[in-house]
Amino acid sequence: MSVLLEFAIFPTDKGDSVSKQVSQVIELIRESGISYQLTAMGTLIETDALPEALALVNRCYDVLAEDSERVYTTMTIDIQKNKHNRLKTKVEAIENKIGKVNK
């Protein structure tokens, strides 16, 4: 099974720039060993099971909640049975048709 979860999470009470807080979240994700891809508007993760993905999002919330009164989160989830490594293969499928997509 492949669970792709795209999410954005940030505190709303820290002013215009929240890169300090988001960096803490990304560090936690990196150290988790879970496959991820950081984008300008959020982060994609891939796990083998939904509870594992949701647990990581919860841990990210816990990091921010320690020092924030309000945390905003959005999530999109795509679950497909009998698939793996879709974080990479979905991009490769497009690149096989049109070439590199990242500059």
Side-chain angles (χ1 to χ4, degrees):
M1 177 181 295
S2 169
V3 176
L4 291 179
L5 187 150
E6 180 179 33
F7 72 115
I9 186 168
F10 54 90
T12 61
D13 59 350
K14 300 302 176 196
D16 288 341
S17 177
V18 292
S19 61
K20 176 183 173 187
Q21 291 80 14
V22 172
S23 294
Q24 294 172 326
V25 168
I26 299 305
E27 186 174 31
L28 185 150
I29 294 168
R30 183 177 59 195
E31 291 175 358
S32 75
I34 290 173
S35 296
Y36 74 97
Q37 182 178 29
L38 177 64
T39 73
M41 297 293 292
T43 304
L44 293 122
I45 63 171
E46 183 172 14
T47 63
D48 293 329
L50 183 57
E52 182 182 9
L54 295 175
L56 182 59
V57 173
N58 192 60
R59 288 175 47 209
C60 293
Y61 165 76
D62 289 343
V63 165
L64 296 179
E66 289 178 11
D67 189 38
S68 301
E69 293 299 314
R70 187 174 185 183
V71 175
Y72 183 85
T73 307
T74 62
M75 285 191 298
T76 305
I77 303 170
D78 177 16
I79 302 169
Q80 190 170 4
K81 295 179 180 177
N82 302 313
K83 294 286 183 168
H84 302 283
N85 201 27
R86 291 189 308 143
L87 196 60
K88 182 179 177 184
T89 59
K90 287 176 72 79
V91 174
E92 287 175 346
I94 300 301
E95 289 180 336
N96 288 337
K97 291 174 178 55
I98 66 170
K100 286 286 186 193
V101 295
N102 293 319
K103 288 187 174 183

